Amino acid sequence: MENLTKLLDIMQTLRDPEHGCDWDKKQTFDSIVPHTLEEAHEVAHAIEQHDWVNVKDELGDLLFQIIFYAQLGKEAGLFNFADVVDNLNQKLVRRHPHVFEHQQTLTETELSKQWDAIKQQEKLGQSAQFGDDVLSSLPALARAQKIQRRAAALGFDWPTYEGALDKVKEEVDEVDEAMRVDPHSPHSGEEIGDLLFATVNVARHGGFNAEQLLRKATEKFIGRFQQVESVLETQGKALNTASLQEMDEVWEQIKAAQKSV
């Protein structure tokens, strides 16, 4: 608690009109948002890399964002850091009755349904339709998965992953059909979107986070392509001059070598 009090004091000093930092003093709620998003992504990246020293550092940077918002809220007479913590404490207890009230063990499906039911209860009296509480500003894959989870909690879901996977195969056929007519048409784009949405559903049925899966797949591609670049350099070639066949041959060699490990 002493360290936390010191952190709050540091933040207040940084915002001091007379003695504070010029950059910190001019910030607003809106101007801090991009930094918050960036810090959240840096935390995720450090965790995925298992860089635990950096995780500690990035978590501190993310905590600073919360402290900053709390100071802005305090200055505006809206809320302070204690209000944020109190609200969180109440919410965590309220949304985990199986832990703090009933002491019962629930399956993952039961937990998800309970969580959604409690959130709906909290929103009673608010005018909202399905999906209104899932922010459009979320990354597309994350929003798709959250929407699908909401629908599943209402019973609109395949009982097993097979149904979701069959839907992916159906969407692949529809993409193929549309692109054979015109690969650049809006209809082709719409079918590709449906395929992406269906693929996210398969990930959800497997218990995976689609956003993380795509990030990892992208990092894997970058790693392999960097190896392609290195191998080509040993052959006296460069990426911008090598042919597709040359790059593909090296790619397959690297892929085979990784699978054999």
Side-chain angles (χ1 to χ4, degrees):
M1 287 301 295
E2 183 178 341
N3 287 343
L4 181 56
T5 299
K6 182 179 180 180
L7 178 58
L8 293 170
D9 289 342
I10 290 173
M11 183 69 255
Q12 183 168 313
T13 301
L14 290 173
R15 289 279 297 177
D16 184 89
E18 184 176 354
H19 304 293
C21 169
D22 289 340
W23 186 89
D24 291 281
K25 286 190 295 183
K26 71 178 183 180
Q27 300 310 309
T28 65
F29 279 105
D30 290 336
S31 70
I32 291 296
V33 169
H35 300 282
T36 306
L37 296 174
E38 181 180 342
E39 296 299 349
H41 284 298
E42 289 181 357
V43 168
H45 179 73
I47 290 173
E48 288 167 356
Q49 297 299 313
H50 293 178
D51 184 356
W52 305 121
V53 173
N54 205 30
V55 168
K56 179 178 67 174
D57 186 57
E58 296 298 348
L59 283 173
D61 291 343
L62 186 57
L63 175 59
F64 178 67
Q65 302 297 306
I66 299 170
I67 297 297
F68 212 133
Y69 288 123
Q71 178 64 30
L72 293 172
K74 179 181 177 182
E75 293 170 6
L78 301 172
F79 57 84
N80 58 30
F81 183 74
D83 295 328
V84 173
V85 175
D86 287 344
N87 185 69
L88 177 59
N89 287 339
Q90 293 175 32
K91 183 189 294 185
L92 289 174
V93 172
R94 182 173 65 249
R95 293 187 179 179
H96 294 82
H98 59 290
V99 174
F100 297 103
E101 295 179 18
H102 312 310
Q103 288 295 314
Q104 62 183 133
T105 301
L106 301 179
T107 66
E108 186 172 344
T109 299
E110 290 171 336
L111 284 172
S112 180
K113 288 183 177 180
Q114 174 182 268
W115 182 273
D116 286 331
I118 292 172
K119 290 192 69 174
Q120 288 299 318
Q121 183 67 29
E122 292 172 351
K123 295 180 183 297
L124 283 179
Q126 300 181 21
S127 178
Q129 291 184 297
F130 172 80
D132 284 351
D133 61 333
V134 182
L135 298 178
S136 59
S137 59
L138 282 173
L141 291 179
R143 186 166 186 251
Q145 189 153 353
K146 202 163 188 176
I147 287 291
Q148 291 169 1
R149 191 167 64 243
R150 290 280 196 278
L154 296 171
F156 191 74
D157 194 15
W158 285 280
T160 66
Y161 80 90
E162 284 94 346
L165 193 55
D166 286 341
K167 184 63 175 176
V168 168
K169 296 173 183 177
E170 176 187 324
E171 296 297 347
V172 167
D173 290 339
E174 292 182 3
V175 168
D176 184 40
E177 180 181 338
M179 295 190 75
R180 286 179 185 275
V181 175
D182 183 354
H184 308 295
S185 69
H187 179 58
S188 291
E190 180 181 351
E191 294 297 347
I192 292 170
D194 291 344
L195 174 58
L196 290 171
F197 190 82
T199 303
V200 170
N201 219 1
V202 175
R204 181 182 63 83
H205 271 271
F208 299 106
N209 181 292
E211 193 76 26
Q212 290 181 335
L213 291 180
L214 184 56
R215 281 206 303 270
K216 289 179 179 179
T218 301
E219 290 301 320
K220 183 168 68 174
F221 177 87
I222 291 172
R224 283 182 179 172
F225 208 68
Q226 287 174 344
Q227 290 184 58
V228 169
E229 183 178 28
S230 297
V231 171
L232 288 173
E233 286 177 352
T234 64
Q235 299 174 356
K237 303 170 185 175
L239 284 176
N240 60 349
T241 58
S243 67
L244 173 59
Q245 182 178 349
E246 289 172 327
M247 288 189 287
D248 191 55
E249 286 176 355
V250 177
W251 175 276
E252 291 300 329
Q253 292 169 10
I254 293 169
K255 185 177 178 181
Q258 291 176 338
K259 284 188 175 181
S260 65
V261 175

